[in-house]
Amino acid sequence: MSKPFTIGPLNHVGVAVPSLPDAIETYRALYGATDITEPFDMPAQGVKVCFVNLPNSQIELIEPLSEESPIWNFVQKNPKGGQHHVCFEVDDIHDAVSVMKERGATVLGEPRIGAHGTPIIFVHPKNSNGVLIELMETPKGDH
């Protein structure tokens, strides 16, 4: 008998920003963060990202690549940036999609490869008290 579906550990909090270099400087100068990954483009998702590595999680800093980016409107409405999503790990992304749909949630799009190189989906904020939830398949070899 398989175990019931539950979300796993918090993986990261996504923060949309108008400028990655400015945001990186904020986390370095204001918060003393020293372990920040090199920014990289994700053209398929329309964003440039980097991670602020913390002892127990990560902060994903996300900058839109263009006006076609899915976070462009978010940054236009929040010109200084803001919390965009919360990401939890799951054992199997396809199982997560099935369970979310069975439980009445709106899954946004199909599973796709996220910034950690593993499959992800997003669950509409209307299903989660106004918070956009990312579910990410736990990277193999982690935990």
Side-chain angles (χ1 to χ4, degrees):
M1 186 170 151
S2 65
K3 65 179 184 174
F5 174 85
T6 61
I7 57 173
L10 172 70
N11 183 277
H12 66 267
V13 174
V15 178
V17 300
S19 165
L20 274 183
D22 291 349
I24 290 168
E25 182 56 27
T26 296
Y27 279 88
R28 280 195 177 121
L30 185 60
Y31 299 111
T34 57
D35 187 0
I36 302 174
T37 67
E38 205 50 47
F40 59 96
D41 290 354
M42 296 188 66
Q45 299 211 23
V47 295
K48 176 180 276 204
V49 302
C50 74
F51 290 95
V52 179
N53 293 314
L54 306 170
N56 63 340
S57 189
Q58 293 178 310
I59 297 170
E60 179 185 33
L61 299 175
I62 318 159
E63 178 185 329
L65 283 174
S66 71
E67 292 181 19
E68 284 75 47
S69 172
I71 65 163
W72 176 263
N73 287 338
F74 182 91
V75 173
Q76 295 306 299
K77 291 176 191 167
N78 303 279
K80 292 186 176 189
Q83 182 195 326
H84 184 260
H85 66 270
V86 176
C87 176
F88 297 100
E89 295 180 15
V90 296
D91 291 334
D92 181 282
I93 201 69
H94 298 287
D95 183 37
V97 170
S98 296
V99 171
M100 291 299 98
K101 289 180 177 178
E102 285 169 17
R103 293 179 181 175
T106 300
V107 174
L108 304 173
E110 295 297 318
R112 56 201 173 277
I113 300 301
H116 287 89
T118 65
I120 64 166
I121 60 159
F122 287 91
V123 178
H124 198 285
K126 72 180 181 186
N127 302 120
S128 307
N129 308 102
V131 177
L132 179 64
I133 300 293
E134 178 181 357
L135 299 179
M136 175 186 105
E137 196 167 290
T138 301
K140 303 305 175 220
D142 282 10
H143 304 290

